[in-house]
Amino acid sequence: LKDFIKVKYAKEAAIILLVSIWFGFSRKFMPDTFSASFVLFGSYFIWKFSTNKNKVSLLLGALFISVGLLSKLSSFVLLAFIVPILFSKEFSLKIKSVLIMVGSLSMIPVIYWYFIWVPHLNSSYGLDVFFMGRSVTESLPQLLDRSNAVLKRFYQDAFYYVGFTFFILGMFKVKIEKKKELAICLLSSLIFTLLFIGKSGFNFAEHNYYIIPVVPFMAILASLGFHWIRSQKVRTFLLIIIVSECLINQLNDVFLSKDKNHMVELKELTEELNENELVVIASSLNPQSLYFSHKKGWVLPFTDLDQNSILELKEKGAKTLIWSSKKGVPPESTSYSLVSRSQNWIVYELH
């Protein structure tokens, strides 16, 4: 961050980022903060290459960015950190050309994964957990209908109310700083964010973790706004308030809630299955239960599972059906038989 703003700003931006929504989701097995972190690593090494022309830095930058985007495509928003290099007169045309060439090569596996392999998985195996966005004409009405939820992602979910207040102040201070690299970075992040929201539509309004790739830029602006206050003691006091507010509001992510205890049973239930055995879990669209089972397969809501759909999944390789006993039992059929039962789950073998 010191390439864009003063070191004292960078330290506080980092603290705000660490206690933001990143804190809660970095403790989960969701890929959002993992992906965003790798893109940030890559951006750092790309900047190092631009200044010291070290080839190792270039390769590490390309590798980290590629891994980050393969983990989750939404982290492309963070590529805004690299954009100032392309517009800066400090770097030669050769440096910019090398970055574009190597960057294009690093995007090949990303393009293959999301635009060739994922559609294949969707069509062949019914794996639809990779959301690839909607058309703007479809997303815009969804965003307008849920405008309050969209705004909530920024003023609450990112780093809550006190931090958001300084984020607003920071937008005014950008003009005062008069740093071209910072202005280009933030403008690029705004364009990428609008594109991201436009493609996400309903999902951005529905899921708070969609704000994760935007939070680093918000943290920078919050740090800038923070320094409207000259007194170091007052700034320290307010920073403690921001940290406290963020952590208190995320305490529920530190402890396992009682209504999730049944997930822990899945690992024990599936230990006797063959290592590569595919399973079908009747629970909800949320894939958490599949993660806790340590198995590969499908997770579907109860309403989508009837005899025909179960047989269809069996033809695709499913060997075991795991049904949440909270929703009763599956429809009677001779295509599966009872294997075991626990307090929360029923395991069937598919014939």
Side-chain angles (χ1 to χ4, degrees):
L1 289 178
K2 65 183 180 181
D3 291 320
F4 299 113
I5 55 180
K6 297 176 183 178
V7 174
K8 63 178 181 179
Y9 297 160
K11 290 178 180 178
E12 287 163 354
I15 292 173
I16 293 172
L17 177 63
L18 288 174
V19 298
S20 70
I21 191 173
W22 279 51
F23 172 78
F25 278 89
S26 65
R27 301 185 69 259
K28 302 178 181 181
F29 41 59
M30 295 177 68
D32 300 79
T33 53
F34 174 87
S35 168
S37 297
F38 267 83
V39 176
L40 286 177
F41 296 156
S43 301
Y44 166 75
F45 282 110
I46 291 299
W47 269 96
K48 287 205 68 173
F49 165 75
S50 301
T51 54
N52 62 22
K53 301 179 179 60
N54 187 305
K55 293 180 181 178
V56 175
S57 295
L58 175 63
L59 292 176
L60 286 174
L63 176 63
F64 282 135
I65 289 174
S66 184
V67 170
L69 294 180
L70 283 169
S71 302
K72 192 146 188 179
L73 188 58
S74 58
S75 293
F76 83 91
V77 174
L78 292 162
L79 295 178
F81 278 116
I82 301 175
V83 174
I85 299 175
L86 303 178
F87 290 91
S88 175
K89 295 180 180 179
E90 296 180 15
F91 306 111
S92 66
L93 181 60
K94 181 180 179 181
I95 291 290
K96 297 175 183 178
S97 300
V98 170
L99 285 179
I100 292 173
M101 181 181 68
V102 175
S104 299
L105 291 174
S106 69
M107 289 301 104
I108 291 176
V110 177
I111 293 171
Y112 174 79
W113 175 260
Y114 287 106
F115 298 99
I116 298 177
W117 186 243
V118 167
H120 168 70
L121 294 176
N122 288 339
S123 60
S124 300
Y125 303 101
L127 181 68
D128 56 358
V129 294
F130 288 98
F131 174 66
M132 296 300 293
R134 302 178 172 87
S135 65
V136 177
T137 54
E138 184 181 358
S139 293
L140 189 57
Q142 296 176 349
L143 292 168
L144 292 175
D145 289 342
R146 299 167 178 82
S147 57
N148 289 336
V150 172
L151 292 174
K152 184 180 177 182
R153 299 290 162 257
F154 293 91
Y155 71 76
Q156 176 177 304
D157 296 327
F159 35 66
Y160 298 93
Y161 306 104
V162 179
F164 180 76
T165 301
F166 287 105
F167 161 71
I168 297 296
L169 292 174
M171 290 193 290
F172 293 100
K173 195 166 186 180
V174 172
K175 294 182 179 180
I176 298 175
E177 286 295 315
K178 295 181 179 179
K179 292 205 70 172
K180 182 180 178 181
E181 293 85 357
L182 177 61
I184 292 175
C185 174
L186 294 174
L187 179 61
S188 302
S189 70
L190 175 62
I191 295 172
F192 290 172
T193 299
L194 291 175
L195 176 62
F196 173 49
I197 295 174
K199 288 294 291 181
S200 302
F202 169 82
N203 288 53
F204 188 89
E206 185 71 13
H207 304 294
N208 61 345
Y209 55 83
Y210 270 63
I211 196 65
I212 285 175
V214 185
V215 174
F217 304 105
M218 295 181 65
I220 293 174
L221 286 171
S223 180
L224 288 173
F226 203 63
H227 280 267
W228 278 109
I229 301 169
R230 295 184 179 181
S231 171
Q232 178 62 48
K233 291 183 179 179
V234 175
R235 287 204 304 268
T236 302
F237 174 72
L238 289 171
L239 186 61
I240 292 173
I241 290 178
I242 292 174
V243 171
S244 301
E245 182 183 26
C246 288
L247 295 181
I248 289 172
N249 280 285
Q250 297 180 85
L251 279 178
N252 61 308
D253 287 319
V254 178
F255 305 100
L256 181 66
S257 58
K258 292 183 179 179
D259 63 335
K260 297 293 183 182
N261 283 338
H262 64 286
M263 292 288 187
V264 181
E265 295 181 14
L266 283 168
K267 178 66 167 60
E268 298 177 3
L269 286 174
T270 57
E271 280 182 345
E272 297 181 1
L273 303 178
N274 294 330
E275 183 178 355
N276 297 318
E277 189 167 309
L278 299 179
V279 301
V280 179
I281 300 180
S283 178
S284 66
L285 280 175
N286 192 322
Q288 283 183 350
S289 52
L290 188 64
Y291 302 152
F292 275 98
S293 72
H294 292 245
K295 291 294 179 182
K296 298 178 181 179
W298 298 263
V299 179
L300 294 170
F302 306 95
T303 52
D304 290 353
L305 278 174
D306 53 24
Q307 292 188 36
N308 292 331
S309 60
I310 292 173
L311 287 173
E312 183 179 340
L313 291 172
K314 179 180 176 298
E315 292 175 358
K316 292 180 178 180
K319 300 292 184 182
T320 302
L321 171 65
I322 303 176
W323 193 276
S324 173
S325 57
K326 293 181 179 181
K327 298 293 182 178
V329 295
E332 292 186 8
S333 174
T334 57
S335 60
Y336 43 82
S337 58
L338 179 65
V339 174
S340 63
R341 182 192 295 266
S342 70
Q343 182 178 354
N344 297 294
W345 303 95
I346 309 171
V347 181
Y348 297 89
E349 178 184 0
L350 298 179
H351 302 303

